[in-house]
């Protein structure tokens, strides 16, 4: 296995980032990922330096980074390829994919809708375009690593505006909920008005049935003839959050309808 970072540099970086949450996250699976690259060495210390390079560009350019992401991938791929042109192309792509994966982990911790949703989705699309063997498994493994909520906001020293923040009660506050609430707000199915969550609907109708179905998808409701086979549906908290009643009853009625409602495909599209 090739090794670009020499022992002295590895030691210096490991000491510099010893208390850094992202470095700790990389170290939890970094050694395993490094082992999977039979020819291309990508130790956690090199990974954190390369990830920080990308994060610094994002912090500097904000939304202007979007049109540059494809070039960032190609630039890093060419940089790695120049190190040793005999290394397998799939390994080069995987090494870049690992760096992008930990970048996604970092920006996904943000409470800004742009970073948490828009930019995260764009980075994931670029990884998919340049996919390597086992790319989806590797990406899912990286994203499953814990990183404190709001870590990227601390990194850029910027808290989200009140209108940009997805603030939920503790029992409802999950990464999945923040992600899909943000998506629903971006497509104007939902809005936050004076800290109140309002369901606008797919065609500005705002029906409780639509809201119930959306929330069922968010909180992993699984309909069966014997009831919910998925996770517990937090009906009372959701009723209070949206100022409605009997969400669970509306949810079961949606699934018990003789044929799927037309609007369901629009909501399903949020989860693709």
């Amino acid at each position: 296995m090739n090794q670009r970072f020499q022992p002295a540099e590895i030691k210096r970086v490991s000491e510099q980032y010893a208390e850094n949450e992202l470095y700790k996250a990389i170290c939890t699976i970094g050694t395993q990922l490094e082992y999977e690259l039979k020819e291309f060495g990508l130790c956690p210390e090199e990974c954190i330096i390369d990830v920080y390079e990308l994060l610094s560009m994002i912090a500097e350019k904000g939304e202007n980074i979007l049109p540059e992401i494809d070039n960032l991938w190609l630039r890093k791929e060419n940089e790695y390829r120049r190190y040793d042109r005999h290394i397998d192309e799939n390994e080069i792509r995987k090494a870049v994919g690992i760096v992008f994966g930990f970048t996604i982990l970092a920006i996904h911790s943000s409470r800004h809708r742009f970073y948490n949703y828009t930019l995260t989705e764009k980075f994931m699309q670029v990884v998919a375009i340049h996919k390597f063997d086992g790319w989806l498994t590797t990406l899912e493994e990286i994203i499953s690593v814990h990183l404190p909520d709001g870590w990227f906001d601390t990194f850029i020293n910027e808290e989200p505006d009140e209108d940009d923040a997805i603030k939920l009660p503790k029992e409802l506050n999950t990464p999945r909920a923040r992600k899909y609430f943000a998506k629903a707000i971006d497509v104007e199915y939902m809005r936050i008005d004076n800290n109140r969550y309002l369901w606008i609907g797919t065609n500005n109708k705002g029906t409780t049935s639509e809201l119930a179905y959306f929330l069922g998808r968010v909180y992993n409701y699984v309909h069966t003839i014997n009831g919910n086979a998925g996770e517990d549906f937090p009906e009372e908290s959701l009723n209070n959050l949206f100022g409605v009643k009997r969400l669970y009853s509306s949810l079961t009625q949606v699934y018990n309808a003789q044929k799927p409602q037309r609007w369901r495909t629009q909501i399903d599209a949020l989860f693709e």
Side-chain angles (χ1 to χ4, degrees), residues 108-122:
H108 192 52
S109 72
S110 175
R111 292 183 291 267
H112 286 263
R113 288 206 302 273
F114 169 71
Y115 297 117
N116 182 278
Y117 166 52
T118 306
L119 193 58
T120 293
E121 291 286 309
K122 177 61 177 178

Side-chain angles (χ1 to χ4, degrees), residues 22 25-26 29 33 47 51 97-106 142:
L22 181 57
I26 292 173
I29 60 171
L33 295 175
C47 189
V51 171
I98 290 171
V99 171
F100 267 56
F102 281 111
T103 301
I104 291 169
L105 176 67
I142 291 172

Side-chain angles (χ1 to χ4, degrees), residues 141-264:
E141 187 173 7
I142 291 172
I143 295 175
S144 70
V145 176
H146 174 71
L147 193 64
D149 184 41
W151 182 91
F152 186 70
D153 302 331
T154 301
F155 174 80
I156 61 177
N157 193 29
E158 180 181 336
E159 287 297 316
D161 296 333
E162 288 297 317
D163 291 341
D164 195 45
I166 302 296
K167 295 182 179 179
L168 297 170
K170 183 177 180 180
E171 65 275 13
L172 301 177
N173 189 22
T174 67
R176 180 177 174 84
R178 292 195 302 274
K179 174 180 179 179
Y180 290 108
F181 275 42
K183 281 193 170 187
I185 290 169
D186 282 348
V187 297
E188 299 183 350
Y189 294 170
M190 181 194 302
R191 75 168 182 262
I192 305 174
D193 187 7
N194 293 324
N195 293 322
R196 291 182 60 239
Y197 283 78
L198 302 174
W199 181 254
I200 308 303
T202 57
N203 294 299
N204 293 316
K205 294 182 179 180
T207 66
T208 303
S209 295
E210 283 189 7
L211 173 60
Y213 180 73
F214 167 74
L215 294 172
R217 292 294 310 268
V218 170
Y219 290 98
N220 297 311
Y221 172 88
V222 178
H223 187 73
T224 72
I225 59 173
N226 296 317
N228 181 19
E231 300 175 10
D232 290 338
F233 184 71
E235 179 185 20
E236 184 175 352
S237 295
L238 291 170
N239 283 340
N240 292 333
L241 186 69
F242 286 91
V244 297
K245 297 179 179 179
R246 299 175 59 83
L247 273 171
Y248 188 82
S249 176
S250 295
L251 181 56
T252 56
Q253 289 176 22
V254 169
Y255 281 97
N256 288 330
Q258 292 186 348
K259 60 180 181 179
Q261 299 82 355
R262 292 181 180 179
W263 47 259
R264 280 175 57 170

